[in-house]
């Protein structure tokens, strides 16, 4: 493999992180050797060691030494505890993609968490390990026309308010377009029937909700924090929600009457809201 196509340590860590989060590499399981990983990614062992140290710092690996391969660390959360979106969403989406007809309904501020979470099921489709016949995705995102409750500028009024809004709008549009492209590409590569539709919410969602195949509901409150972000226009001070860190609560049809009722009512609420809006969202 030539140098132009080699992965950086950060990219290697990202691939391994997704395998861990999707359950391809399970807690207690040893990773391949550094030599095997170096061959897989076409890099020197030093790059692999840097990637492994990053994952150890993130609490995902244990026993990172020059000796035997490290193990996947035991999860910090119990099976029934809420988990951060970036931990909980990917393995559940992977399970959902094992069904012949995949249905994803989502209400969120942007598609930021969905894109990396879809990485593992898409990889498994390309490897021939998953083969759904149809994928339907319905995504509700805030309209560009509303005054968002968040993100908003710390200094109310003026040009900075518009800069924060334009930043969010650019993220909403770009991430939505990537999500649509990644799924619709499966039509040509794997002859899968794919439908991806976005509609515009007339309000800022205080929560995020993912409904998977009508079998599971994942629910989280957005937690608003003050933070700064460097942009081409300078540093923006804003009140914002870091959705990838929001704790997701899982409710499954098979988990009992309370969970089943939550899934069913959430699906009814989503379907009614979807029909009420009726106009598709343009990501531009």
């Amino acid at each position: 493999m030539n140098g132009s196509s080699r992965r950086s340590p950060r990219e290697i860590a990202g691939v391994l992180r997704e395998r861990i989060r999707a359950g391809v590499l399970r807690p207690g399981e040893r990773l391949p050797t550094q030599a095997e990983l170096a061959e897989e990614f076409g890099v020197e062992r030093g790059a692999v060691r840097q990637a492994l140290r990053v994952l150890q710092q993130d609490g995902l690996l244990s026993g990172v030494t020059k000796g035997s391969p490290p193990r996947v660390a035991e999860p910090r959360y119990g099976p029934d505890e809420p988990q951060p979106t970036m931990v909980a969403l990917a393995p559940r989406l992977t399970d959902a993609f094992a069904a012949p007809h995949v249905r994803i309904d989502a209400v969120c501020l942007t598609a930021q968490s969905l894109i990396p979470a879809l990485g593992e099921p898409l990889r498994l489709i390309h490897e021939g390990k998953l083969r759904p016949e149809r994928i339907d995705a319905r995504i509700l995102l805030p309209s560009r026309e509303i005054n968002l409750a968040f993100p908003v500028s710390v200094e109310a009024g003026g040009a900075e308010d518009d800069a924060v809004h334009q930043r969010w709008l650019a993220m909403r549009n770009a991430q939505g377009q990537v999500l649509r492209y990644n799924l619709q590409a499966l039509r040509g590569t794997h002859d899968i029937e794919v439908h991806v539709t976005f509609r515009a919410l007339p309000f800022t969602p205080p929560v995020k909700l993912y409904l998977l195949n009508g079998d599971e509901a994942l629910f989280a409150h957005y937690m608003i924090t003050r933070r700064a972000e460097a942009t081409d226009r300078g540093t923006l001070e804003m009140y914002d929600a870091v959705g990838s860190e929001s704790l997701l609560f899982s409710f499954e049809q098979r988990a009992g009457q309370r969970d089943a009722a939550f899934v069913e009512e959430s699906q009814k609420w989503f379907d009614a809201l979807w029909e009420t809006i009726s106009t598709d969202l343009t990501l531009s």
Side-chain angles (χ1 to χ4, degrees), residues 211 261-274:
L211 298 164
F262 185 89
V263 175
E264 291 169 7
E265 291 302 316
S266 296
Q267 189 68 63
K268 289 178 183 178
W269 175 81
F270 182 94
D271 291 341
L273 184 58
W274 185 265

Side-chain angles (χ1 to χ4, degrees), residues 147 151-165 236-237 239:
N147 292 322
V152 292
S153 170
V154 169
E155 300 295 334
E160 191 166 281
D161 264 348
D162 184 64
V164 172
H165 184 86
L236 289 178
E237 292 278 350
Y239 294 108

